[in-house]
Amino acid sequence: MGQTLYEKFGGEEAITKVVDYFYEELVLKDETVQHFFENTDMEKQKRHQAKFISFALGGPNQYSGKSMAKAHEGMNLQPAHFQAIATHLHDALAHFGVQEHDIQTALDKVATLRDDILYK
């Protein structure tokens, strides 16, 4: 059996670094999406996101948060918001040297959640 993307990326420690960069350097500086996080406990958000991304990349299933639909309820996220977040995830992974084909595999997995996130 081959190595999971989670293992290939460097496991929990690497995912935590990606998530920190994702929020601090990209998401929270992007006027398109930063307002969604104005009243968010960012440390808690980062922990949830790291667990979610780890699971999505084939790592241990530690994610015990709300369903994607429930977590985004009342936000009325539009395709432009989803695309901004996907682009930031791409850029955060690339920043840490993840190869483009592996980034695309991760983004393809995230794209499967689109219908659970948009227009809620």
Side-chain angles (χ1 to χ4, degrees):
M1 189 192 264
Q3 194 177 38
T4 66
L5 285 179
Y6 174 80
E7 294 164 333
K8 193 173 183 178
F9 289 176
E12 183 178 350
E13 185 177 332
I15 297 299
T16 298
K17 288 178 183 176
V18 168
V19 169
D20 284 344
Y21 183 84
F22 169 76
Y23 282 114
E24 297 302 326
E25 299 301 323
L26 302 171
V27 173
L28 296 178
K29 293 181 178 179
D30 179 351
E31 293 179 9
T32 307
V33 293
Q34 68 186 183
H35 62 280
F36 290 112
F37 300 95
E38 286 175 349
N39 298 311
T40 301
D41 175 342
M42 288 309 297
E43 291 309 310
K44 182 178 177 183
Q45 178 68 20
K46 288 178 188 178
R47 285 192 304 273
H48 277 294
Q49 187 74 327
K51 288 177 182 179
F52 170 72
I53 290 174
S54 295
F55 170 66
L57 298 177
N61 184 0
Q62 302 172 356
Y63 184 75
S64 59
K66 299 174 184 175
S67 71
M68 288 296 111
K70 195 72 168 159
H72 297 92
E73 193 172 63
M75 296 177 77
N76 193 29
L77 292 169
Q78 302 297 306
H81 302 130
F82 186 91
Q83 186 57 51
I85 294 297
T87 298
H88 293 322
L89 179 56
H90 172 281
D91 294 349
L93 291 168
H95 178 80
F96 286 96
V98 177
Q99 295 182 8
E100 190 62 35
H101 67 276
D102 289 333
I103 293 172
Q104 196 54 56
T105 299
L107 292 178
D108 288 348
K109 206 154 197 176
V110 170
T112 66
L113 301 170
R114 186 180 174 94
D115 290 343
D116 291 334
I117 294 171
L118 293 182
Y119 310 113
K120 301 297 178 208

